[in-house]
């Protein structure tokens, strides 16, 4: 499929909108009431610090809603205002935050049901309005909705669209896209749908396996068994790993994406030599600025003397998980929660350890003076961070 031609055609349709409806002022009050926080604004003005009795709170200097998320949520609110009576669907969570998605449900926005891991579009009818979330939708979903005669409101983050443009460039030049991402994540599914030949690698260890194969150190059968669900149909490692380009899910750990790029460059240099390197390896910078800023701020925060760390964001939020990784890598006692309600009742917390299942820790806060670092993922509203700090203050006072 010529995905570029399809996108051009879709963008010229009178049933497609990616700019909003000019209702920003009308929905501003609702957004402010639901998501903004006077306390967080005060902390920003006070050096991102708060002292409350024995509790010292230190916020990361970049956290929470990014521009792409703010844009997506505002467009969803505008859509409901612009289409007051029409059925409105969304193909997935607008962003990975439970409170934001609950607000949309309260506005009678319907979510495409998922059965056995497969989305069921059977109830979506011609004339319905369908919102594409911040991390995008697959080209096949867009095609289905367009052919069904739906009104499409596209809130895809421009940084995600930039990655799609990158893998389309790879496809145009018969280059295999090595996508650093989580193979089942909605953004990676969307990105791979715009690619030609692709292979998804989760981390540096998987990237090393691919590079070893390029250098003749791997076993074909074992390789295909490992990546069977992470590659394009008909993928042939002996043919398709000769010319590669690196792209990424925009919320992955920046330093790891960069190291994966360097690893493939070194591998192709070793395999083909310096004079032919440019024929076998290309690199584009597809790291999201907001993701980078929040990770950089987290690295600065974990250099502070902290007794524990609270990371706030959806459990299926990739960028939040990577913030948690940074804290864990520094050996800091760290807790990832998705809502303030995970704290209490009493001195307890229900949290999700990295790569683990939900567990309860009690007692949560130790006695004596306490220094707590706090950050939140790009899908977390300031109001949620405020509520978490409020619960920490109540516990410290108890």
């Amino acid at each position: 499929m010529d995905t570029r031609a399809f996108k051009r055609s879709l963008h010229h349709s009178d049933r497609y909108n990616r700019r909003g409806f000019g209702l920003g002022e009308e929905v501003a009050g609702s957004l402010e009431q639901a998501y903004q926080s006077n306390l967080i604004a005060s902390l920003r003005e006070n050096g991102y610090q708060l002292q409350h009795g024995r509790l010292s709170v230190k916020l990361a200097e970049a956290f929470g809603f990014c521009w792409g998320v703010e844009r997506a949520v505002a467009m969803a609110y505008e859509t409901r205002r612009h289409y007051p009576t029409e059925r409105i669907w969304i193909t997935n969570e607008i962003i990975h935050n439970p409170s934001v998605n609950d607000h949309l449900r309260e506005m009678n926005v319907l979510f495409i049901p998922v059965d056995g891991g497969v989305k069921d579009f059977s109830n979506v009818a011609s004339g319905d309005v369908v919102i594409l979330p911040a991390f995008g939708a697959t080209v096949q979903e867009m095609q289905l909705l367009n052919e069904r005669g739906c009104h499409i409101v596209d809130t895809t983050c421009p940084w995600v669209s930039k990655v799609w443009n990158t893998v389309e460039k790879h496809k145009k030049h018969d280059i295999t896209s090595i996508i650093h991402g989580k193979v089942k994540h909605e953004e990676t599914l969307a990105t791979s749908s715009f690619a030609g030949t692709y292979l998804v690698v989760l981390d540096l260890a998987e990237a090393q396996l691919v590079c070893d194969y390029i250098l003749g150190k791997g076993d074909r059968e074992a390789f295909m068994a490992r990546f069977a669900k992470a590659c394009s149909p008909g993928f042939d490692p002996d043919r398709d790993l000769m010319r590669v380009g690196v792209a990424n899910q925009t919320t992955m750990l920046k330093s790891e994406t960069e190291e994966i790029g360097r690893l493939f460059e070194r591998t192709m240099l070793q395999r083909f030599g310096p004079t032919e390197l440019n024929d076998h390896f290309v690199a584009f910078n597809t790291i999201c600025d907001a993701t980078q800023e929040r990770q950089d701020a987290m690295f600065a925060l974990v250099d502070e003397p902290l007794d524990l760390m609270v990371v706030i964001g959806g459990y299926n939020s990739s960028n939040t998980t990577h913030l948690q990784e940074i804290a864990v890598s520094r050996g800091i006692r760290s807790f990832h929660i998705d809502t303030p309600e995970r704290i209490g009742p009493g001195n307890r917390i229900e949290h999700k350890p990295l790569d683990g299942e939900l567990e309860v820790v009690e007692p949560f806060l130790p006695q004596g003076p306490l220094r707590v670092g706090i950050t939140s993922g790009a899908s977390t509203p300031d109001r949620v961070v405020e509520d978490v700090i409020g619960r920490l203050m109540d516990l410290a006072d108890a």
Side-chain angles (χ1 to χ4, degrees):
M1 179 182 180
D2 187 340
T3 52
R4 286 193 172 191
F6 170 73
K7 282 193 300 182
R8 284 195 299 270
S9 173
L10 182 64
H11 292 175
H12 285 93
S13 168
D14 58 5
R15 290 183 285 102
Y16 174 86
N17 185 304
R18 60 172 174 167
R19 299 184 183 278
F21 300 96
L23 302 175
E25 292 185 6
E26 294 186 31
V27 302
S30 298
L31 291 168
E32 181 176 355
Q33 182 178 359
Y35 304 122
Q36 294 184 14
S37 160
N38 291 331
L39 174 64
I40 299 305
S42 175
L43 263 68
R44 284 190 170 103
E45 294 174 357
N46 192 44
Y48 297 86
Q49 299 180 70
L50 177 147
Q51 187 68 45
H52 180 85
R54 70 186 184 96
L55 176 67
S56 299
V57 171
K58 176 69 175 178
L59 278 174
E61 294 192 9
F63 67 95
F65 268 13
C66 63
W67 173 82
V69 164
E70 287 181 351
R71 170 182 173 272
V73 175
M75 284 180 67
Y77 274 61
E78 285 190 32
T79 301
R80 180 76 280 177
R81 185 68 63 93
H82 185 76
Y83 295 103
T85 59
E86 286 84 352
R87 284 203 310 175
I88 299 178
W89 300 85
I90 186 165
T91 61
N92 210 298
E93 295 180 331
I94 183 75
I95 56 175
H96 289 318
N97 182 272
S99 65
V100 176
N101 291 296
D102 286 344
H103 283 155
L104 292 181
R105 291 185 178 94
E106 291 167 5
M107 294 161 57
N108 200 27
V109 174
L110 305 170
F111 287 67
I112 299 294
V114 179
D115 183 13
V118 178
K119 294 178 188 176
D120 180 5
F121 288 91
S122 59
N123 289 324
V124 180
S126 176
D128 285 357
V129 180
V130 182
I131 300 172
L132 310 184
F135 36 75
T138 68
V139 68
Q140 291 82 8
E141 289 173 353
M142 295 183 198
Q143 190 175 29
L144 181 152
L145 296 169
N146 184 52
E147 291 174 351
R148 195 163 292 185
C150 297
H151 296 278
I152 298 173
V153 180
D154 188 354
T155 78
T156 303
C157 175
W159 279 100
V160 175
S161 298
K162 180 181 177 182
V163 180
W164 295 353
N165 292 336
T166 294
V167 297
E168 285 178 322
K169 289 177 183 176
H170 294 166
K171 178 170 58 178
K172 180 180 179 181
H173 297 287
D174 295 322
I175 293 169
T176 294
S177 296
I178 304 295
I179 303 171
H180 177 212
K182 300 176 180 179
V183 71
K184 294 183 179 180
H185 191 281
E186 298 90 340
E187 183 187 326
T188 294
L189 290 171
T191 295
S192 62
S193 77
F194 284 92
T197 306
Y198 68 85
L199 181 72
V200 180
V201 295
L202 175 63
D203 50 26
L204 190 59
E206 284 200 346
Q208 185 65 62
L209 289 175
V210 178
C211 289
D212 287 344
Y213 193 90
I214 292 171
L215 296 175
K217 303 175 185 177
D219 175 78
R220 180 186 174 91
E221 185 175 344
F223 183 95
M224 291 308 299
R226 175 68 176 262
F227 293 103
K229 297 182 179 180
C231 62
S232 50
F235 187 88
D236 181 346
D238 297 312
R239 176 194 65 209
D240 297 327
L241 291 176
M242 294 300 96
R243 304 181 73 226
V244 302
V246 176
N248 69 299
Q249 182 182 311
T250 58
T251 51
M252 299 302 281
L253 193 62
K254 168 200 169 188
S255 57
E256 187 168 43
T257 293
E258 291 177 333
E259 182 56 35
I260 286 171
R262 289 191 290 267
L263 174 62
F264 275 96
E265 184 175 25
R266 291 195 302 270
T267 299
M268 291 313 205
L269 181 64
Q270 183 177 343
R271 172 73 188 267
F272 298 103
T275 59
E276 295 186 36
L277 176 62
N278 291 339
D279 291 330
H280 296 275
F281 174 77
V282 294
F284 295 92
N285 179 13
T286 58
I287 296 171
C288 164
D289 279 353
T291 297
Q292 179 176 332
E293 289 169 0
R294 280 149 185 74
Q295 291 175 4
D296 289 346
M298 184 63 167
F299 278 113
L301 181 57
V302 295
D303 282 340
E304 304 261 350
L306 300 173
D307 297 302
L308 62 90
M309 185 82 202
V310 178
V311 179
I312 312 162
Y315 292 137
N316 55 349
S317 166
S318 178
N319 77 87
T320 305
T321 302
H322 291 304
L323 296 176
Q324 172 79 332
E325 281 182 9
I326 294 170
V328 170
S329 71
R330 297 298 180 89
I332 298 172
R333 188 169 177 247
S334 182
F335 302 89
H336 178 187
I337 60 175
D338 60 344
T339 65
E341 289 73 26
R342 298 291 183 182
I343 299 176
N347 189 16
R348 71 192 291 276
I349 187 170
E350 184 179 39
H351 75 113
K352 188 176 184 301
L354 198 63
D355 300 323
E357 301 298 323
L358 282 172
E359 67 177 35
V360 173
V361 172
E362 188 174 9
F364 165 41
L365 296 186
Q367 298 297 313
L370 188 61
R371 300 163 299 186
V372 178
I374 293 180
T375 192
S376 61
S379 298
T380 304
D382 284 359
R383 181 64 59 86
V384 172
V385 180
E386 174 187 309
D387 290 345
V388 168
I389 293 174
R391 288 183 176 240
L392 291 173
M393 291 192 294
D394 290 344
L395 276 186
D397 289 342

